[in-house]
Amino acid sequence: MHGFDTIVVGGGILGSATAYHLSRHGRRVLVIDQEDRIPNPHGSSADHAYIFRLTHGKDSFYTELGVKSLQMWKQLQHETSIEFLESTGMLDLAVGTCKHEEASAKVLKELKVPFQRLETAELLDQYRILRKKACRFALYHQDGGILWAQRAIEAFHKAALRRGSRTALGVRIVKVLRDKTGIVGLRDSKGKVWKAPTYVFAAGPWTKELLSDYGLPLRVTSQHMLYLRPPRNQGRYRAPHFPVFSCSARGIHGFPVHVHGFMKFGREKEGPLCKDVRSTDRPDPSFQRTVRAFLKDFFPDLGGFTELEDRVHHAVRTPDGDFILDRLPDAENAVVAVGFCGLAPMFAPLIGKEAAALLLKERPDINLHRFRLDRLKFKKPRR
């Protein structure tokens, strides 16, 4: 394969979105992924469904990113007639100090994002499956919902292919080759060197290993998920009656019934460190106990579930919690996008567009200063 303008390493949602935006600029893109298919079943955006939300506590910038991403998802849906975002609504359950929810409400009001604050009586009247006194109040915003990640990856990928891009599957890059001009090639595990004028690294949990010469301060955590089938009254937990929800204080989020009659529950708090991203992590039995305890306190009808499936996905994190979207130091022809802590599916069309703009040296639509590499400590590689 020759004549490509850009090589994108990683065929997940960010790599595919970046390839899509580059292809719209007339760039021929080669997407390299170490798995034999896209979507990569072991990638950090490999699950079917992820949360889309505009509630990020006091962090108004992330809410602004969400608003911009929402507009882009809607435009993509209009252009493709594919539903990427199912607007079930988003319910934030406030318990304890309620700091996250109070701060979120303030930000939503300042940004003029429509939302409702549901006090206990109104909340219980609207969601009778909720246990009395389970929470002090809840925030509801109608634009929250389910982001269908695999569907989006496939759509970005196919759109890029139609514009002349290609893929190289089952190719594991083991060495980044550099000289004084920047990156000059990528060597794979079989010794083949892949070359293009520009490069994008969006390899999720494999990015730290891939760019080991830079010593990026990334850590990969195992985030456990639990799929369960409601033991009774399944219709009450479907999207028209039951939105995506989160309880920040308890570190749990959940989805309505959406795949083969199952609901999904995930851990919002940071999971245990993953020692080997190529190994298949075993589900954590303690997370099942955590979910059962949560359901007992909030949705007791679900607590007796017996049909379940455990899964694990990997999240990549930086020391300060913000992601990285920047050119590599001493390599103006390469961009890295990593460290999204599970938020990549939510922001994918926006981040893909901004990564493409960085590579093409165009003016970004958002202020990327917060995501620069030089805010972090890392080593500059020797040539």
Side-chain angles (χ1 to χ4, degrees):
M1 296 182 181
H2 301 286
F4 292 98
D5 301 302
T6 303
I7 291 176
V8 175
V9 183
I13 198 161
L14 290 184
S16 296
T18 304
Y20 164 76
H21 283 288
L22 286 169
S23 71
R24 293 190 66 176
H25 283 79
R27 296 299 180 103
R28 292 196 71 223
V29 182
L30 175 64
V31 177
I32 294 179
D33 200 282
Q34 63 183 328
E35 291 293 326
D36 60 2
R37 56 181 160 142
I38 291 177
N40 179 341
H42 304 297
S44 54
S45 55
D47 203 24
H48 289 282
Y50 289 82
I51 279 184
F52 185 92
R53 65 191 303 172
L54 299 175
T55 43
H56 297 276
K58 64 181 180 181
D59 199 332
S60 60
F61 187 53
Y62 273 70
T63 298
E64 290 174 356
L65 295 183
V67 171
K68 290 180 181 291
S69 298
L70 174 64
Q71 295 168 350
M72 295 183 74
W73 281 122
K74 287 183 175 180
Q75 181 63 32
L76 285 165
Q77 290 186 164
H78 176 73
E79 292 174 359
T80 63
S81 298
I82 299 172
E83 185 182 48
F84 302 117
L85 179 60
E86 183 178 347
S87 297
T88 66
M90 174 74 192
L91 195 67
D92 285 271
L93 304 173
V95 301
T97 63
C98 309
K99 288 183 178 180
H100 175 84
E101 293 75 24
E102 295 283 11
S104 294
K106 182 179 179 181
V107 168
L108 293 177
K109 186 175 181 180
E110 289 173 350
L111 296 179
K112 298 181 180 180
V113 175
F115 77 99
Q116 296 173 271
R117 175 174 169 138
L118 303 175
E119 302 298 340
T120 304
E122 187 177 5
L123 185 62
L124 292 174
D125 182 62
Q126 193 162 339
Y127 302 103
R128 298 185 180 184
I129 49 180
L130 187 65
R131 182 173 174 267
K132 291 182 179 180
K133 300 182 180 179
C135 57
R136 293 172 59 184
F137 66 91
L139 299 181
Y140 174 83
H141 65 283
Q142 63 188 24
D143 290 319
I146 300 174
L147 196 286
W148 296 104
Q150 286 197 11
R151 193 179 298 172
I153 294 171
E154 291 169 356
F156 284 136
H157 181 59
K158 289 177 181 177
L161 290 179
R162 287 195 296 269
R163 293 186 172 94
S165 296
R166 294 292 181 267
T167 55
L169 302 179
V171 175
R172 184 164 69 90
I173 301 301
V174 297
K175 182 66 176 178
V176 176
L177 307 176
R178 304 180 321 279
D179 66 13
K180 62 182 179 181
T181 66
I183 292 176
V184 296
L186 307 172
R187 182 181 295 126
D188 68 21
S189 58
K190 296 180 180 179
K192 181 175 179 178
V193 175
W194 304 78
K195 293 185 176 183
T198 56
Y199 302 84
V200 175
F201 297 99
W206 294 276
T207 303
K208 183 175 182 177
E209 177 184 323
L210 181 64
L211 299 177
S212 59
D213 288 346
Y214 290 89
L216 300 182
L218 303 172
R219 64 185 185 279
V220 179
T221 62
S222 298
Q223 300 300 126
H224 297 270
M225 300 173 288
L226 184 69
Y227 282 83
L228 64 90
R229 190 190 296 274
R232 62 183 71 85
N233 300 322
Q234 186 176 119
R236 301 171 73 182
Y237 296 96
R238 292 191 177 276
H241 313 292
F242 191 80
V244 171
F245 75 88
S246 170
C247 183
S248 177
R250 295 286 290 267
I252 295 285
H253 63 253
F255 294 71
V257 171
H258 62 286
V259 175
H260 306 304
F262 281 78
M263 307 174 72
K264 173 185 172 182
F265 291 82
R267 187 200 303 267
E268 292 213 336
K269 296 180 179 178
E270 183 173 329
L273 285 175
C274 174
K275 296 180 180 179
D276 181 4
V277 296
R278 288 188 176 83
S279 67
T280 302
D281 287 340
R282 294 181 178 179
D284 181 3
S286 68
F287 183 62
Q288 184 184 141
R289 294 193 292 271
T290 298
V291 171
R292 286 190 184 276
F294 174 84
L295 294 176
K296 180 180 178 181
D297 293 340
F298 287 82
F299 304 107
D301 277 357
L302 291 172
F305 67 88
T306 56
E307 295 183 70
L308 69 149
E309 180 181 343
D310 297 275
R311 295 186 187 177
V312 179
H313 76 91
H314 298 123
V316 189
R317 303 171 186 275
T318 62
D320 60 10
D322 284 327
F323 52 84
I324 297 170
L325 182 59
D326 200 0
R327 294 188 187 94
L328 282 174
D330 73 6
E332 287 290 303
N333 65 335
V335 166
V336 59
V338 71
F340 288 82
C341 302
L343 300 180
M346 191 184 323
F347 300 141
L350 178 62
I351 299 303
K353 182 181 179 182
E354 296 305 301
L358 268 177
L359 203 66
L360 300 172
K361 298 184 178 180
E362 295 182 346
R363 184 182 180 88
D365 286 342
I366 61 175
N367 186 345
L368 298 178
H369 181 78
R370 186 166 166 180
F371 311 123
R372 290 175 54 139
L373 256 172
D374 59 12
R375 77 183 196 271
L376 304 171
K377 293 181 179 180
F378 62 95
K379 64 181 180 180
K380 291 187 177 181
R382 296 178 181 178
R383 293 190 180 91

